[in-house]
Each structure stands twice: as structure tokens, then as C-alpha cells.
Amino acid sequence: MNRQKITWLQILQGWSMLLVVIGHVTLTGIFENPQTPVSATIERVIYSFHMPLFMFISGFLFYFTKISRDLAYKEVVLDKLKRLGLPYLFFTFFTFAVKFIFSSFMKRPVELSLRQFTDSFLYPGSNPLSEMWFVATLFIIMLSYPLLKYMITGYFKIAVLIIGSVVLNLFLLCLSNVAYMFLFFCLGILFCKFDIQRFLSHSGSLLLSLLLFIALNLIPDCPILLLNLTGIIFSVSLCLNLTPIVSGLFSSFRDYTFQIFLLGIFPQIAIRILYSKIPQNELSYWSLYIISILLGIYLPVFIA
């Protein structure tokens, strides 16, 4: 894989992280608040595809760094325990402490009980840091490394993998986020394996994917899977087309996406608390909105 493709992927990582941080602003504490229609629309559009995009990128990188190198299963598991398991454990402890100390300011206060602590691992959605569901989901999917490596060795098996992951996505969401996100992880793997992104590097692909993404977002009750997929395709095409023009785009934070994902929410929570304590008007709202984005990105970068 040549350097240009690496660069577009770095830009895509920066783009996806920017979407996550913007999506986490929510100054009023009410998601898609009708009292703030502009930011509510931004949230609705971002949440239509940003986490599937994150999972797609993870699948792409998983193939590039693990499957294509035919690493041993033990090596993959130990690596992911270190990179995902230890941060999961640390930030669960850390967030319990923060939310307990500042419980009066929290929408989801915690109790220091063994039951709530163990539930944070058994049911990641109940983790005091809600973003941890993604880390747990990613780790569980990556444990299927031998199956994924086997299922992409022939076209028939690939077809079975895609059909099976679509069924999981559409009909078995009730099981867990793993069922929903498995499809996008697999698509990332296949994009990397077959170099599919080369078909999206032209300006015509970008224009078509943008128009399709806008059109689907304007359709009431559009199936979420279509929004997920078009958002991913548009994002990939956007970053591929931007690479020759601004190869350094997002370079100030694109190499710190995991740190921003884990740490960025804390300064943003602080900004929400501040907003609730000051006179609320258009100037204060949009000023703190921008400050929340900047702190959510660059405070973790500074710490890292």
C-alpha cells in the first residue's frame, strides 16, 4: 500500500474523530434539542454514520496490520488486550471516580457498588463512560480473527460473510452492538483486501456520493443502514480526493484518535456544566460550542 493511500486513511481518521467530537458537544444535555435546530441537524447527520465509519476504519486497519501479515491468534489477542483492554479498565475506574465526585452534575450518576462495577464489563452499554461500548464491541469483533481470516479466502465464503453480517445488522441488533457493527468492520477488511477505495478517488465519485448522501438524509425515515453506508462511501471519497490537495489535513490531531476518543468527553462535560451556569443566548451557545470542539480535540492531544 503506497504512501498516498496511507495519507488518505490518516485524513479519514482525523475526519471521523472530528465528527465524534462535534457529535459529543450537546451543550444543553438534550440530544437533537429542538430548541437548537442547527446543532440538532448536525447531530442527526453525524449520528447517521459516524460510528459505523469508525468501525469501517478499524476493519481496514485490522486487515492491513494483522490479517495481511498472517499474525498468530495469540499475538493478536495479547496486542488487543494491551491496546483496548487496559484502557477500558483504566477509564472505567477513572470515570467511576469522576462521576461519583461530581454526581450532582451528571445525567447518569453512579453508585460505588460491586454490581454496577461488574455490569460495566458484562454490559458495556452501562459503563459510566458510555463511549466504552465501542471499545468493548471492537475487542469482541477482533476476537473473531481466525473466522474472519478464513472467510475472506474465497468469493463464496466472502458472499456468505457479507450476507451473514447484513442479517446480523438488520435483524439481530437486539443481541448487542456487535451484531450491528460487525458488517462495517467486515466491509473495512474487504475494502483493504481488494483495494476497493481506488474506485472512489475521482471527483465524479465524490460528487455522486455527496448527492446521494444528501438525498437520503432528506428522506423521512430513510433506512439507517443506507445512511450508514452512504456516509462511509462519501467520507472515503472525500478524503481520497482531498489527499492530493491538502495532504496535511487534520495533521495536528489525526494520529491521536484513540486518545481523543477516550479523553475528549471530559472537557466537553465540563463545558456543558459551565454552559448551564451562565446566561444562555446565541453568543454564549456558539462560543462554547466551538470551545467544546477545540478542547475535546486538543486537550487529549496535549496530554498524549
Side-chain angles (χ1 to χ4, degrees):
M1 182 169 288
N2 62 39
R3 178 164 176 76
Q4 184 178 11
K5 293 177 182 176
I6 292 293
T7 302
W8 78 258
L9 189 62
Q10 290 176 316
I11 293 175
L12 185 64
Q13 288 177 285
W15 165 249
S16 64
M17 197 65 252
L18 178 62
L19 294 175
V20 169
V21 172
I22 294 174
H24 285 167
V25 173
T26 318
L27 284 182
T28 63
I30 301 173
F31 183 66
E32 294 187 21
N33 190 344
Q35 300 300 317
T36 56
V38 175
S39 56
T41 300
I42 293 172
E43 288 173 348
R44 180 180 61 80
V45 173
I46 287 176
Y47 274 79
S48 71
F49 74 97
H50 77 307
M51 294 315 296
L53 174 61
F54 239 99
M55 193 61 72
F56 171 88
I57 295 170
S58 299
F60 193 103
L61 288 170
F62 194 65
Y63 180 85
F64 185 64
T65 61
K66 300 294 187 294
I67 297 177
S68 66
R69 298 178 182 179
D70 196 27
L71 297 183
Y73 185 52
K74 180 181 178 180
E75 186 177 353
V76 172
V77 172
L78 290 176
D79 177 69
K80 295 308 169 186
L81 279 173
K82 179 178 70 174
R83 293 179 178 272
L84 299 177
L86 291 179
Y88 189 92
L89 183 65
F90 172 81
F91 281 98
T92 297
F93 276 112
F94 180 75
T95 311
F96 259 107
V98 170
K99 286 201 167 188
F100 182 75
I101 294 170
F102 300 101
S103 59
S104 60
F105 297 106
M106 300 297 165
K107 290 192 299 180
R108 295 195 311 151
V110 298
E111 298 178 2
L112 294 185
S113 67
L114 179 62
R115 173 64 181 273
Q116 188 164 12
F117 183 75
T118 55
D119 281 353
S120 297
F121 296 91
L122 297 175
Y123 311 101
S126 68
N127 193 288
L129 184 59
S130 57
E131 288 74 12
M132 287 292 99
W133 74 263
F134 178 81
V135 177
T137 298
L138 190 59
F139 179 73
I140 293 170
I141 291 176
M142 287 177 171
L143 288 179
S144 65
Y145 171 69
L147 174 65
L148 290 169
K149 189 167 67 170
Y150 171 76
M151 292 299 293
I152 62 172
T153 55
Y155 290 113
F156 176 76
K157 286 182 281 189
I158 289 173
V160 172
L161 177 65
I162 293 175
I163 293 171
S165 60
V166 169
V167 170
L168 285 173
N169 179 280
L170 293 177
F171 303 109
L172 296 177
L173 174 60
C174 58
L175 292 179
S176 69
N177 284 310
V178 173
Y180 189 82
M181 292 295 176
F182 187 71
L183 170 64
F184 309 111
F185 191 85
C186 292
L187 291 177
I189 289 174
L190 296 175
F191 257 69
C192 189
K193 177 178 174 65
F194 294 108
D195 198 23
I196 297 174
Q197 64 275 3
R198 70 186 185 276
F199 298 112
L200 301 174
S201 61
H202 308 291
S203 58
S205 300
L206 174 58
L207 179 60
L208 182 61
S209 63
L210 173 60
L211 292 175
L212 183 60
F213 181 62
I214 293 173
L216 290 178
N217 270 279
L218 293 175
I219 298 175
D221 301 320
C222 179
I224 188 62
L225 180 57
L226 291 180
L227 295 175
N228 295 158
L229 295 175
T230 53
I232 291 172
I233 292 170
F234 162 68
S235 296
V236 171
S237 186
L238 174 67
C239 295
L240 282 165
N241 279 271
L242 287 174
T243 298
I245 304 170
V246 280
S247 60
L249 187 62
F250 307 132
S251 60
S252 61
F253 66 87
R254 68 192 188 191
D255 293 329
Y256 300 93
T257 53
F258 193 49
Q259 292 92 331
I260 296 170
F261 187 82
L262 293 174
L263 289 170
I265 193 64
F266 295 104
Q268 292 189 294
I269 290 174
I271 294 297
R272 288 179 203 165
I273 295 172
L274 174 62
Y275 180 71
S276 70
K277 303 298 182 182
I278 65 173
Q280 298 179 4
N281 52 52
E282 286 291 313
L283 178 60
S284 64
Y285 183 85
W286 288 109
S287 297
L288 289 181
Y289 192 95
I290 294 171
I291 291 172
S292 178
I293 295 171
L294 293 175
L295 283 179
I297 291 174
Y298 289 109
L299 185 60
V301 171
F302 175 77
I303 293 172

